[in-house]
């Protein structure tokens, strides 16, 4: 305990009223845990697409330039008017970043429950993880088995719980198979493993042969490549075979969500015995849960009137699903941390390297197969 | 009874495999009512947008040409490949048309319930109304009060029940105000009256000053004109004032559905006390129930992740709402037939005039303030 530094370096992102985004480090006073809190030395924290949305969201990154502040690196970029409008609610607030992470409890509040965690490896949820230390209430930490590698514990929440939420949603809303886009992502690979284990038919949509190969390598059954000439036909065939009426789309922009609804409709119409001008009465649902393409969603509405396209977000899902379901989901993540929910990181970087301009451009490109892990203590 | 003709002239629409649409009349044998059926002389039947979808759907009406068949008028038009794909399920089937109507019971099956309706004026649902006579089971007819003008009884179902379904949906899904597009339509005017009576705040979106005037004339409170420069600002202001989180869109194509979601989000964010990168947690729902614009729906997703855009169709709504709710809705239509649910027809035409090419182009243009009523017996 005695060797804790007096300050804690924390990354923050600030939108200034004059139309600039600044990402830099603040040296804050080391937090003091309250009775039901623990202070955690952050050992690992991943860069998820959802972190990038806050980190650089709305800024024109082609204008990004490197600088320094208090001897630490800093990135500045211009924010176009549309971005300023979208971020109206955060102008002038220096916001910490980092949804999740893993670390060691180095200090604890007075309560016995908090004290019991000293020295333990814990997974962390609750923002502000791009920092050396993080103080959190007990319900935001999840103790991991002794000997867990902090690399394995870094991404316990966002991708594992989101992919499990997809299958829970399927059951709650009475579907029997799933279509998933950007399916070669870390999350997509988890979903392939969950669905294989649970016997859920899954149609994986990817956009390159390299991604097809990744998914074949982990045993995915139905893979369609949106770059293929006959993509729509193959998608229909896979949906006919699986009976999928539920989709999760990480891309958001472009025509893909609508193409999925259309393919589901073609499959549903094949099962109809008489014509209806309103299309099939099979309910088709696609959820948009990401924005890999921030451009407009374009729906060519050739899928009747029995459909829904919705946003999907983990937190309200968990609130709706309830404590019991969420508890079951979290336990499964711990149980299968090094199998189903193993994440792969292509790059490990330090906290300050995360604000190196070249590095930032690289992880902000969100290339398939590339995933960055920040190790604040090397 | 004895003066019934031997044949019944029925309008049908046929898509031929070689890529042509034909709309013409068939002389069919006069139907004989079964015990629980009645034979109705169709006196009035409206041309609704949903009828036009079946009548000319998918055809390129710029290629339409007039002809005759068995001495009666006929219209032929070419169907482009996209239309042929969309209508794959109906190729080769001559489909009767006309969702609803009103008429007099001229013959009835043996059951006392059917016999009791002889001579009565009834509203009719169930398709095939663009005909001289229609034979229907009892549950598809709704007896109207003695002395009801068949013009008032013509449109008892599609618009009245759909507009009532909007307010029922509002209550079922826990919203408290509604946004409606193409709001100067017959349906829109009914909705204005229902909402005024029930104390439901309603934001009416129209696209011309003439339509603003129509709605002002019937006492609508919140009217925004999408042709105005500051449309989006005015829409936000109306949504802030009403708290609407539910929209019904008759247009379908273009950016309007997304603009409504965006305006709802701006209004919701104004009520938030802290910034969230995921937007507000206010659930925003827009239903597309029409296709006045058959072009693609374009969503600029600036409305967070707590939203849904869905198709809306009356029949599945009624199935979900249940007998009691639907019974209450139907009774209200009868009670308020000449007030809330009064339809206005700009043109009355005969059955054969409906297939005059110039007339067809006119009603197919779906101009605001123009609504056609077919009177098969003059």
């Amino acid at each position: 305990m005695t060797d804790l530094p007096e300050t804690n370096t924390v990354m923050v992102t600030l939108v200034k009223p004059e139309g600039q985004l600044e990402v830099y480090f603040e040296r804050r006073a080391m937090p003091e845990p309250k009775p039901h809190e623990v202070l955690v030395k952050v050992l690992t924290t991943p860069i998820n697409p959802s972190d990038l949305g806050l980190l650089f969201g709305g800024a024109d990154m082609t204008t990004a330039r490197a600088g320094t502040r208090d001897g630490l690196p800093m990135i500045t970029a211009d924010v176009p008017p549309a971005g300023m409008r979208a971020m109206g609610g955060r102008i002038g607030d220096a916001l910490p970043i980092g949804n999740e992470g893993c670390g060691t409890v180095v200090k604890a509040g007075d309560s016995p429950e908090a004290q019991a965690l000293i020295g333990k490896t814990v997974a962390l949820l609750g923002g502000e993880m791009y920092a050396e230390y993080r103080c959190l209430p007990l319900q935001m930490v999840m103790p991991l088995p002794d000997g867990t590698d902090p690399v394995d514990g870094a991404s316990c929440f966002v991708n594992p719980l989101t992919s499990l939420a997809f299958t829970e949603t399927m059951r709650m809303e009475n579907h029997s198979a799933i279509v998933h886009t950007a399916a070669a992502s870390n999350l997509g690979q988890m979903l392939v493993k969950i669905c294989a284990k649970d016997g859920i038919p899954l149609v994986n949509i990817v956009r390159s042969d390299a991604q097809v190969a990744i998914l074949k390598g982990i045993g995915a059954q139905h893979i369609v490549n949106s770059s293929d000439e006959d993509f729509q036909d193959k998608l229909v065939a896979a949906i006919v075979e699986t009976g999928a009426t539920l989709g999760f789309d990480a891309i958001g922009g472009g025509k893909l969500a609508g193409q999925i609804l259309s393919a589901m409709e073609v499959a549903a119409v094949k099962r109809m015995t008489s014509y209806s001008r309103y299309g099939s009465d099979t309910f088709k649902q696609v959820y948009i849960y990401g924005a890999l393409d921030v451009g407009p969603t374009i729906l060519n509405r050739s899928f009747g009137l029995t459909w829904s396209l919705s946003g999907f977000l983990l937190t309200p899902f968990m609130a709706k699903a309830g404590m019991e379901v969420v508890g079951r989901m979290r336990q499964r993540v711990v149980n299968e941390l090094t199998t189903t929910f193993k994440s792969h990181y292509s790059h490990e970087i330090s906290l300050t390297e995360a604000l190196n301009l070249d590095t930032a451009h690289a992880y902000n490109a969100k290339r398939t197969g590339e995933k960055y892990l920040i190790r604040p203590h090397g």
Side-chain angles (χ1 to χ4, degrees), chain A:
Chain A
M1 309 294 127
T2 49
D3 61 352
L4 276 178
E6 283 181 13
T7 61
N8 175 29
T9 302
V10 178
M11 190 191 294
V12 296
T13 172
L14 169 68
V15 176
K16 297 166 81 172
E18 53 269 38
Q20 286 184 334
L21 173 96
E22 291 181 353
V23 188
Y24 56 92
F25 294 100
E26 284 184 359
R27 289 196 180 86
R28 298 183 172 184
M30 185 62 63
E32 186 62 36
K34 297 194 185 110
H36 283 84
E37 291 182 346
V38 289
L39 180 67
V40 180
K41 184 175 182 177
V42 180
L43 298 175
T44 55
T45 172
I47 301 180
N48 288 316
S50 53
D51 296 309
L52 293 172
L54 183 62
L55 196 61
F56 301 130
D60 174 2
M61 288 301 286
T62 63
T63 69
R65 47 219 179 258
T68 58
R69 176 165 164 155
D70 293 342
L72 293 172
M74 164 173 170
I75 292 174
T76 304
D78 297 334
V79 183
M84 291 302 288
R85 275 196 301 278
M87 297 198 292
R90 56 170 284 195
I91 292 169
D93 296 328
L95 303 171
I97 317 143
N99 275 315
E100 62 185 339
C102 179
T104 309
V105 177
V106 292
K107 197 171 181 181
D110 287 339
S111 71
E113 299 89 335
Q115 287 290 321
L117 289 181
I118 285 181
K120 295 277 185 194
T121 301
V122 291
L124 311 168
L125 183 67
E128 209 174 321
M129 298 301 164
Y130 295 178
E132 294 170 318
Y133 293 86
R134 179 71 167 102
C135 189
L136 277 170
L138 290 174
Q139 65 268 29
M140 303 301 273
V141 309
M142 183 165 75
L144 297 175
D146 288 340
T148 298
D149 184 335
V151 174
D152 288 333
S155 299
C156 278
F157 294 98
V158 178
N159 284 343
L161 292 183
T162 302
S163 52
L164 282 173
F166 293 173
T167 60
E168 293 291 343
T169 298
M170 184 200 81
R171 282 183 274 259
M172 283 163 61
E173 299 182 358
N174 296 313
H175 302 275
S176 60
I178 295 172
V179 177
H180 187 223
T181 74
S185 65
N186 261 290
L187 192 158
Q189 295 181 43
M190 288 178 191
L191 189 60
V192 168
K193 292 176 195 169
I194 294 166
C195 288
K197 210 158 181 170
D198 294 3
I200 297 168
L202 174 69
V203 177
N204 298 278
I205 300 178
V206 295
R207 59 175 181 184
S208 73
D209 290 336
Q211 293 167 343
V212 171
I214 290 172
L215 290 183
K216 277 197 177 152
I218 60 168
Q221 298 282 317
H222 305 279
I223 311 169
V224 281
N225 184 342
S226 60
S227 303
D228 286 351
E229 279 281 315
D230 57 350
F231 164 62
Q232 193 68 18
D233 291 342
K234 281 186 177 160
L235 181 59
V236 167
I239 288 173
V240 166
E241 199 175 334
T242 56
T245 48
L246 174 66
F248 289 93
D249 175 31
I251 295 167
K255 296 183 178 174
L256 189 55
Q259 288 175 307
I260 294 169
L261 288 170
S262 294
M264 288 174 175
E265 175 69 2
V266 173
V269 167
K270 277 182 198 287
R271 295 191 295 268
M272 289 170 72
T273 51
S274 67
Y275 175 77
S276 164
R277 83 198 80 169
Y278 301 117
S280 78
D281 59 0
T282 298
F283 181 65
K284 303 163 290 292
Q285 168 79 58
V286 170
Y287 285 104
I288 294 179
Y289 74 94
L292 293 177
D293 177 351
V294 296
T297 309
I298 296 164
L299 302 175
N300 291 301
R301 302 183 317 290
S302 57
F303 35 74
L305 280 168
T306 312
W307 58 275
S308 196
L309 179 71
S310 311
F312 185 91
L313 196 55
L314 183 59
T315 311
F317 165 81
M318 293 197 296
K320 195 170 68 175
M323 296 273 287
E324 194 191 319
V325 170
V326 174
R328 175 159 47 80
M329 289 162 64
R330 285 171 67 140
Q331 189 55 51
R332 181 164 177 181
V333 175
V334 174
N335 294 349
E336 304 175 21
L337 197 56
T338 59
T339 54
T340 310
F341 300 107
K342 179 143 186 110
S343 286
H344 299 277
Y345 302 97
S346 57
H347 298 76
E348 296 193 356
I349 57 177
S350 72
L351 204 47
T352 49
E353 280 169 339
L355 292 191
N356 172 288
L357 189 56
D358 291 337
T359 307
H361 280 307
Y363 62 71
N364 198 38
K366 297 173 230 177
R367 282 184 280 263
T368 308
E370 295 201 354
K371 186 154 178 109
Y372 282 69
L373 184 70
I374 300 175
R375 302 196 71 143
H377 300 273

